[in-house]
Amino acid sequence: MVSTTGSARPRAFDIKDPSLAADGRRRIDWAAREMPVLRQIREQFARERPLAGIRMSVCAHVTTETANLALTLQAGGADAVICASNPLSTQDDVAAALVEEGLPVYAIKGEDNETYQRHIRAVVEHGPQIVIDDGADVIAYLHTERKDLLPGIIGGTEETTTGVIRHRALEKAGLLAFPIVAVNDADTKHFFDNRYGTGPSTIDGILRATNLLLAGKVAVVAGYGWCGKGIAMRLRGMGARVIVTEIDPVRALEAAMDGFAVMSMDRAAALGDLFVTATGNINVIDRVHFEQMKDGAILANSGHFNAEVNLTALEEMSGEGRRTLRPFVEEYLLGPDQRLIVLGEGRLINLAAAEGHPASVMDMSFANQALAAGYLVEHGKDLEPKVYSVPEAIDREIARLKLQAMGIEIDQLTAEQERYLNSWEG
Ligand code: ADE
């Protein structure tokens, strides 16, 4: 589709319905109220235009929070185009509102895989100087199919744990062509977004899809990374009896000492009423586990890719015995007495059936994204093709601004304390 609205020149985009823009605009403004840090950066960007004329390809969940990031980049002068980072996470009204603001969007909720890939190709066609990625699909595509564009890229940023793992693998293989800032690894990102965002938003997705009562249910959480910690903590808060499964001995110990039952998935499979995966790995719940599960067990994923629950095996096991019970709720009939329920096609349930993390945590994640993009424009040419952390000064400044916005004051070291901390004599 081609539009002439909202921008000087006709620009292509591909969204569901431009007439949804007014609804999207209202919801974007609603999210903005909870994003004071990003708002300050947007004001600063509007004054200083640090991204003036920079072509940016953004691959992200097209939500109200992402819209506020996109408008911040635009205020900084960026020429940004956006595609979805997941076929099920797009909010169509938000996509429409962004197009009206002159930001080309390629994203439609429920798009098939072929459309999803076409949208990635469309944003890459923009010839980015900066890439903002969420899961590394754009950067993987650039490194395989569009190597011709690599020399023009100053750098990229990555939003997720999964994406950072892929970028590190690319670096280890000696193939990474430009510097990547691992936004996920900033303290003001993963401590808050991954934990305090994933916990409630995952539960929100499960509840919106099912209207399930969690109190008294046995919930199995696979993975005790930052996302798994958040999910387990909030499921317990809703009254579920939570079991954690892990492959890492330290994390397993941590889960045990946080008071969760810890066991292998082989044992947990028969016990769970609800399973939630957050490992970043494949086939964490597999054929052997399905075979043992209770009738009616519910499976949801909160990891980036829909690979954590082995759906291919489940489809083979159920044959034709499969039906949709309600939106995002699919039943697989494995035998006369065994029905398993998969939510949101095994895609991240918080964005498929709900709206993703609350704006207040995305405020910090996207403040990191915006400032990391500015940092790359300023310093990218001096960086090597490696995975970098967000500079500590940016991370701490975001925490300071967030505290300020929350009206929280903290102490400062006295000169005496500073001296004490810097001395070895005692
Ligand atoms: N990832 C998780 N929640 C999100 C949100 N609300 N917006 C964009 N990306 C997200």
Side-chain angles (χ1 to χ4, degrees):
M1 192 183 275
V2 172
S3 99
T4 48
T5 53
S7 84
R9 61 191 164 92
R11 308 193 79 173
F13 57 81
D14 191 17
I15 60 172
K16 181 166 183 216
D17 180 359
S19 77
L20 300 173
D23 288 345
R25 184 72 247 178
R26 270 191 300 275
R27 293 201 316 108
I28 292 167
D29 290 346
W30 172 253
R33 295 182 187 200
E34 288 276 317
M35 303 182 89
V37 179
L38 194 62
R39 181 164 58 243
Q40 286 188 57
I41 294 169
R42 183 167 164 183
E43 287 160 7
Q44 182 198 335
F45 273 19
R47 285 191 306 275
E48 298 172 5
R49 307 279 287 172
L51 309 175
I54 297 286
R55 287 187 310 282
M56 295 183 71
S57 297
V58 180
C59 179
H61 302 295
V62 181
T63 63
T64 54
E65 293 76 24
T66 298
N68 280 290
L69 170 63
L71 293 167
T72 302
L73 301 174
Q74 189 185 46
D79 172 12
V81 300
I82 304 157
C83 70
S85 58
N86 185 288
L88 270 192
S89 62
T90 299
Q91 297 170 9
D92 291 315
D93 57 342
V94 170
L98 286 175
V99 165
E100 200 169 87
E101 294 292 333
L103 283 152
V105 177
Y106 298 84
I108 299 171
K109 187 169 176 91
E111 62 194 17
D112 58 22
N113 268 332
E114 152 42 37
T115 310
Y116 175 73
Q117 298 297 339
R118 179 159 51 78
H119 287 162
I120 287 183
R121 290 198 294 277
V123 297
V124 166
E125 208 51 56
H126 191 48
Q129 293 164 286
I130 299 279
V131 177
I132 293 187
D133 215 344
D134 182 320
D137 279 350
V138 166
I139 290 178
Y141 175 67
L142 278 161
H143 281 78
T144 48
E145 311 288 326
R146 292 306 304 266
K147 292 186 186 150
D148 57 309
L149 296 174
L150 294 175
I153 300 177
I154 302 169
T157 67
E158 171 53 52
E159 172 75 6
T160 64
T161 314
T162 296
V164 170
I165 290 169
R166 290 178 85 190
H167 286 118
R168 291 227 158 87
L170 204 52
E171 179 188 351
K172 205 167 157 200
L175 297 173
L176 186 62
F178 48 80
I180 294 287
V181 179
V183 163
N184 178 73
D185 296 358
D187 288 351
T188 48
K189 201 283 185 180
H190 66 274
F191 282 170
F192 303 94
D193 167 324
N194 299 25
R195 182 169 40 168
Y196 299 119
T198 310
S201 68
T202 297
I203 292 176
D204 188 14
I206 292 167
L207 296 188
R208 287 198 209 192
T210 61
N211 197 24
L212 193 72
L213 179 72
L214 292 172
K217 295 277 192 309
V218 175
V220 179
V221 177
Y224 204 65
W226 291 104
C227 295
K229 286 191 213 328
I231 297 167
M233 170 173 45
R234 295 312 186 212
L235 280 171
R236 175 155 68 188
M238 297 289 282
R241 289 177 286 153
V242 180
I243 296 170
V244 170
T245 69
E246 246 302 336
I247 47 100
D248 181 287
V250 177
R251 285 185 182 165
L253 204 51
E254 186 183 5
M257 293 206 187
D258 283 345
F260 296 107
V262 180
M263 63 185 75
S264 65
M265 184 59 83
D266 285 354
R267 269 194 63 208
L271 305 177
D273 300 303
L274 168 69
F275 293 80
V276 187
T277 52
T279 68
N281 216 325
I282 57 165
N283 301 340
V284 174
I285 304 187
D286 215 335
R287 187 181 289 268
V288 286
H289 307 123
F290 300 139
E291 280 164 358
Q292 302 175 58
M293 283 181 183
K294 292 184 195 171
D295 179 37
I298 294 175
L299 290 86
N301 169 47
S302 206
H304 185 80
F305 287 114
N306 57 336
E308 305 212 12
V309 177
N310 188 346
L311 289 179
T312 311
L314 198 53
E315 277 157 24
E316 278 166 21
M317 289 167 81
S318 62
E320 296 294 297
R322 188 172 149 194
R323 59 185 179 141
T324 302
L325 300 181
R326 38 192 274 155
F328 308 111
V329 181
E330 196 97 351
E331 182 182 74
Y332 291 76
L333 191 61
L334 301 195
D337 300 320
Q338 199 196 19
R339 294 159 299 176
L340 298 187
I341 313 292
V342 175
L343 304 186
E345 301 169 19
R347 298 193 189 275
L348 16 75
I349 194 62
N350 59 339
L351 282 140
E355 293 169 68
H357 302 351
S360 182
V361 286
M362 296 315 292
D363 186 26
M364 290 186 281
S365 308
F366 288 163
N368 274 289
Q369 286 286 8
L371 295 180
Y375 175 80
L376 280 171
V377 170
E378 206 179 331
H379 301 286
K381 297 223 159 58
D382 308 322
L383 300 177
E384 291 176 54
K386 288 185 175 163
V387 178
Y388 288 87
S389 305
V390 172
E392 200 186 331
I394 292 182
D395 209 356
R396 298 192 80 75
E397 176 64 4
I398 290 169
R400 199 188 60 75
L401 290 172
K402 190 71 176 177
L403 284 169
Q404 196 179 58
M406 294 167 80
I408 297 172
E409 282 181 30
I410 60 171
D411 291 328
Q412 304 231 348
L413 288 177
T414 62
E416 180 194 29
Q417 287 170 334
E418 189 126 25
R419 261 197 315 281
Y420 179 79
L421 288 178
N422 283 305
S423 70
W424 56 268
E425 294 99 329

